Amino acid sequence: MTNTDEYLRWLAQKSRNIVLTTHHNPDADAIGSSLALSRYLQKKGHQTLIILPNELPNYLQWIAQPQEFLAQTPHNTAICEKAITDAELIFCVDFSTYSRLQGIEQYVKNATAKIFLLDHHLSPNMRFDFSHWNPNAPASAELVYELIENVGDLHLLDTTIAEGIYAGLLTDTSSFKHASTPKTHEIVAKFITLGLNTAQIHQHIYETNSLAKLQFTGFALQHKLHTLPNQKIAYFDISQQDIEKFGITWGDTEGLVDYALSLEGIDIGVILIEKEDHTKFSFRSANHVAIDGVARQYFNGGGHAHAAGGKLFMPLRDAVAYFLEKTSVFETEKVVS
């Protein structure tokens, strides 16, 4: 779904005041896509600001300059609200339901700005005036590239724009193991030709760890990993006490679920993380198993065929019990090719 021509006509009328925003606990696709799009729009003469519902995770601190984004905190809520209120255009990047915005949801809902939806998740459920949406895209980052391509501006690409797009492609495809298309690899080839240091980005994301994160990972693998061989499921259950014991941040649990999926004989990996008022679920599945339907029907979530999330408004112990009761539904989930 796209209406690029209408958007272009509106955008070309004058320089615009543009806000870009993305989902709570933003990942590399959300941040990289937003940064790439913002940097491109600045080259076109527009004023941009990225507003995040919360702070960047540690593993993504390298990617942005402080002046490029504003993360909502108790100290700057009014500033975020004013920026969204004053915007003429708001890009909603890598999400398609208002609830993903959490603390800034009402500001975006009440905004008088035009809304541009740029996303690859299923079933958009929010108002928008323009869109570039494709649930078959491996990452929102690929849609940013397509948008720039569709308006004839590939000549404006540089390594600062490319690094954001590449970070999104790299992570949302699990290092190009899932969902990537021939177009994905053509884009990466173009970026390498531009001079993008892809190895350095990989190192920033996957090979730069704090001691606390590594110690937590070892603890989780030894004490918090459980297997259900008959259902071909492995899962982690991480409590608030575990998080506090090692002093890690929310981003430090990224990638842990992939260890569960990597076990021989396992088709579905799950991580349950206890939050203040709910338990968060992250699901990963092997190529022949779809997981998004289960996440949507039983865990108040959704996502993609092989990567989905959800939440239950109950403490970890109860959430684990519910999850174990529902393991049979994973066996009946649609198998995909």
Side-chain angles (χ1 to χ4, degrees):
M1 178 195 303
T2 186
N3 48 3
T4 305
D5 292 343
E6 183 182 353
Y7 153 76
L8 276 178
R9 287 192 293 270
W10 181 85
L11 198 63
Q13 293 173 17
K14 63 175 182 177
S15 177
R16 300 287 180 178
N17 178 19
I18 299 173
V19 161
L20 303 93
T21 191
T22 188
H23 56 78
H24 186 258
N25 287 354
D27 57 12
D29 189 28
I31 296 299
S33 297
S34 299
L35 279 169
L37 187 54
S38 177
R39 291 165 179 172
Y40 159 70
L41 290 168
Q42 287 179 7
K43 278 194 167 186
K44 297 285 285 184
H46 302 292
Q47 179 180 336
T48 67
L49 176 66
I50 300 169
I51 295 181
L52 305 177
N54 61 320
E55 297 284 357
L56 284 173
N58 289 336
Y59 79 100
L60 289 176
Q61 293 290 336
W62 61 274
I63 199 171
Q65 298 299 316
Q67 69 272 15
E68 291 186 283
F69 71 93
L70 184 63
Q72 187 199 32
T73 68
H75 302 291
N76 63 17
T77 297
I79 299 173
C80 292
E81 181 179 9
K82 186 178 188 311
I84 292 171
T85 300
D86 292 346
E88 298 172 81
L89 175 66
I90 299 173
F91 273 92
C92 293
V93 180
D94 199 43
F95 71 97
S96 56
T97 58
Y98 288 117
S99 62
R100 299 298 308 281
L101 291 169
Q102 294 206 2
I104 62 174
E105 176 181 350
Q106 288 304 316
Y107 308 151
V108 175
K109 274 186 174 180
N110 297 334
T112 58
K114 299 281 189 181
I115 302 293
F116 193 115
L117 176 69
L118 191 144
D119 185 48
H120 69 136
H121 295 92
L122 294 169
S123 307
N125 185 26
M126 57 186 294
R127 79 163 178 96
F128 53 87
D129 302 282
F130 314 117
S131 67
H132 190 48
W133 171 75
N134 181 2
N136 295 316
S140 290
E142 187 159 311
L143 299 180
V144 173
Y145 182 93
E146 286 184 357
L147 180 64
I148 297 172
E149 181 180 44
N150 290 348
V151 301
D153 280 342
L154 286 183
H155 62 283
L156 294 179
L157 286 175
D158 58 25
T159 54
T160 68
I161 295 172
E163 71 178 4
I165 295 175
Y166 182 79
L169 292 175
L170 176 69
T171 53
D172 257 31
T173 62
S174 298
S175 299
F176 307 104
K177 290 184 292 187
H178 306 300
S180 61
T181 65
K183 178 68 172 286
T184 308
H185 294 275
E186 290 170 10
I187 292 169
V188 173
K190 182 174 182 65
F191 290 166
I192 293 172
T193 302
L194 281 175
L196 184 68
N197 189 336
T198 56
Q200 185 179 64
I201 295 173
H202 189 281
Q203 182 178 25
H204 279 310
I205 292 174
Y206 295 116
E207 299 172 8
T208 305
N209 298 303
S210 67
L211 178 60
K213 178 181 177 179
L214 290 180
Q215 290 175 332
F216 165 75
T217 301
F219 164 80
L221 288 170
Q222 185 173 4
H223 300 288
K224 295 292 181 172
L225 177 60
H226 314 279
T227 60
L228 305 171
N230 291 339
Q231 290 87 5
K232 299 185 178 181
I233 294 172
Y235 71 94
F236 290 93
D237 54 341
I238 307 298
S239 69
Q240 275 291 313
Q241 185 178 3
D242 299 330
I243 299 292
E244 293 166 3
K245 176 181 178 180
F246 290 92
I248 62 170
T249 65
W250 67 264
D252 289 334
T253 60
E254 285 287 313
L256 190 60
V257 67
D258 294 317
Y259 284 106
L261 184 60
S262 72
L263 285 169
E264 185 178 3
I266 295 299
D267 288 341
I268 297 170
V270 186
I271 182 170
L272 296 78
I273 303 177
E274 187 175 40
K275 302 292 185 178
E276 184 175 343
D277 63 347
H278 67 277
T279 297
K280 176 186 174 184
F281 286 75
S282 292
F283 303 96
R284 297 293 184 272
S285 66
N287 282 332
H288 62 287
V289 178
I291 201 66
D292 53 314
V294 166
R296 188 164 46 253
Q297 185 172 354
Y298 298 99
F299 295 93
N300 303 306
H304 306 290
H306 305 300
K311 65 171 64 173
L312 296 176
F313 292 92
M314 58 181 69
L316 179 65
R317 177 180 294 184
D318 295 340
V320 170
Y322 175 90
F323 166 68
L324 293 176
E325 289 175 2
K326 297 296 182 184
T327 53
S328 61
V329 303
F330 292 94
E331 300 175 15
T332 60
E333 179 67 352
K334 180 182 177 182
V335 174
V336 297
S337 58

